[in-house]
């Protein structure tokens, strides 16, 4: 949702290609963030072979996809190659970690997460629609402020109301005593 603002701040203009590349990077890292727990558990238990293979696969796939898609589509193809390589490498790490530790996907999806998923999808949709309104919204400060602060407010309230926050809060303060 902030790609247009970053373009304005960093480049002093709305650069559509910059915004496109930024949004693709956000998509790639959104997928990659779900591999974080598996990555750090592997580091903690000293089993880094999955991590190493995942990163090697990302590098090789990035080279292949970037080259092939770049030849066909130019710079956007290279960016899509990066997204695909990162997503495939991250998915590989998650899938093999979960199969190695007998973790089922449905065990990870808790009912308490549904409001957070809904809010996240709404913010993503807001960011996409912001792209369509950018020419009208850049000259309207109220519109720009709404597109900047509405996602932060919505996600902050959703996270504050999430039941896991209380568990983490209690653990944090219990460790301080």
């Amino acid at each position: 949702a902030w790609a247009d603002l970053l373009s304005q701040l960093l480049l002093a203009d709305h650069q559509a290609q910059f915004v496109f590349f930024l949004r693709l990077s956000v998509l790639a890292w959104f997928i990659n963030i779900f591999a974080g727990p598996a990555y750090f558990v592997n580091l903690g238990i000293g089993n880094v072979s999955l991590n190493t293979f995942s990163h090697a696969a990302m590098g090789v796939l990035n080279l292949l996809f970037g080259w092939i898609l770049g030849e066909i589509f130019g710079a956007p193809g290279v960016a899509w190659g990066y997204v695909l390589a990162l997503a495939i490498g991250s998915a590989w790490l998650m899938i093999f970690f979960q199969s190695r530790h007998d973790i089922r996907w449905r065990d990870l999806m808790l009912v308490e997460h549904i409001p957070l998923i809904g809010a996240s999808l709404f913010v993503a949709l807001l960011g996409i629609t912001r792209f369509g309104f950018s020419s009208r919204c850049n000259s309207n400060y109220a519109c720009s402020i709404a597109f900047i602060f509405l996602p932060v407010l919505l996600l902050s309230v959703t996270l504050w109301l999430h039941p896991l926050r209380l568990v983490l809060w209690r653990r944090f303060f219990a460790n301080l005593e």
Side-chain angles (χ1 to χ4, degrees), residues 64-124:
L64 290 174
F65 290 152
W67 181 31
I68 293 168
L69 294 175
E71 286 291 326
I72 297 170
F73 300 109
V78 174
W80 276 108
Y82 162 72
V83 170
L84 288 172
L86 190 60
I88 291 170
S90 300
W92 185 90
L93 180 62
M94 289 184 289
I95 289 167
F96 282 97
F97 178 83
Q98 289 178 316
S99 69
R100 183 177 277 183
H101 296 281
D102 296 323
I103 300 170
R104 297 177 306 202
W105 285 95
R106 67 175 176 220
D107 293 338
L108 300 175
M109 181 60 186
L110 302 176
V111 176
E112 294 87 5
H113 297 323
I114 292 173
L116 184 58
I117 292 168
S120 298
L121 290 174
F122 179 77
V123 167

Side-chain angles (χ1 to χ4, degrees), residues 140-167:
N140 183 343
Y141 288 111
C143 183
S144 294
I145 289 171
F147 274 105
I148 291 168
F149 291 110
L150 183 62
V152 173
L153 180 65
L154 178 64
L155 288 174
S156 296
V157 168
T158 307
L159 286 170
W160 185 261
L161 296 175
H162 194 282
L164 188 59
R165 179 193 59 85
L166 293 174
V167 173

